[in-house]
């Protein structure tokens, strides 16, 4: 299961940590993992580099924290909405908390 942890500064969501694999299908054919990977990679690429406080992107793990006063917070929220959409369709394979 993919586990997504929301990181916030006060009431502002300014980061995400994503761990694990969906195990929806065999490696290389897992649509849930592929979807999450695309959302995370594309979202990270859309961030303003000056706003990033911490970022890691590895197989099975991703984490990003941005300045809570930056416009990159909007990108984090779009990433979260996209991940929630996958969770609605595949709740046994991705959990957001």
């Amino acid at each position: 299961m993919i586990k997504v942890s929301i990181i916030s500064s006060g009431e502002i969501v300014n980061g995400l940590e994503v761990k694990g694999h969906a195990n929806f299908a065999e490696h290389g054919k897992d649509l849930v993992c592929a979807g999450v990977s695309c959302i995370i990679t594309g979202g990270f690429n859309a961030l303003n580099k000056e706003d990033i406080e911490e970022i890691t992107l590895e197989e099975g793990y991703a984490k990003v924290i941005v300045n809570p006063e930056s416009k990159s917070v909007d990108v984090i929220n779009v990433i979260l909405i996209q991940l929630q959409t996958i969770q609605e369709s595949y709740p046994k394979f991705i959990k957001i908390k």
Side-chain angles (χ1 to χ4, degrees):
M1 174 177 281
I2 297 171
K3 295 181 181 176
V4 180
S5 298
I6 297 170
I7 299 167
S8 58
S9 177
E11 294 188 24
I12 298 172
V13 174
N14 68 313
L16 298 168
E17 184 176 41
V18 183
K19 296 179 184 179
H21 291 280
N23 296 316
F24 175 75
E26 65 183 82
H27 184 75
K29 296 182 180 182
D30 192 321
L31 296 177
V32 177
C33 272
V36 170
S37 293
C38 288
I39 290 167
I40 295 297
T41 302
F44 282 17
N45 287 335
L47 294 168
N48 185 338
K49 291 183 184 357
E50 291 81 31
D51 297 341
I52 298 170
E53 295 181 355
E54 181 180 341
I55 191 166
T56 304
L57 183 59
E58 303 170 350
E59 183 178 337
Y61 182 80
K63 182 177 182 180
V64 67
I65 300 173
V66 299
N67 181 327
E69 297 176 5
S70 70
K71 291 188 177 186
S72 287
V73 167
D74 294 336
V75 176
I76 298 297
N77 284 301
V78 169
I79 294 169
L80 183 56
I81 289 166
Q82 292 173 324
L83 293 173
Q84 288 168 335
T85 301
I86 291 181
Q87 181 182 247
E88 288 173 10
S89 296
Y90 301 96
K92 293 181 181 177
F93 302 97
I94 179 171
K95 174 87 171 169
I96 301 171
K97 55 180 178 162

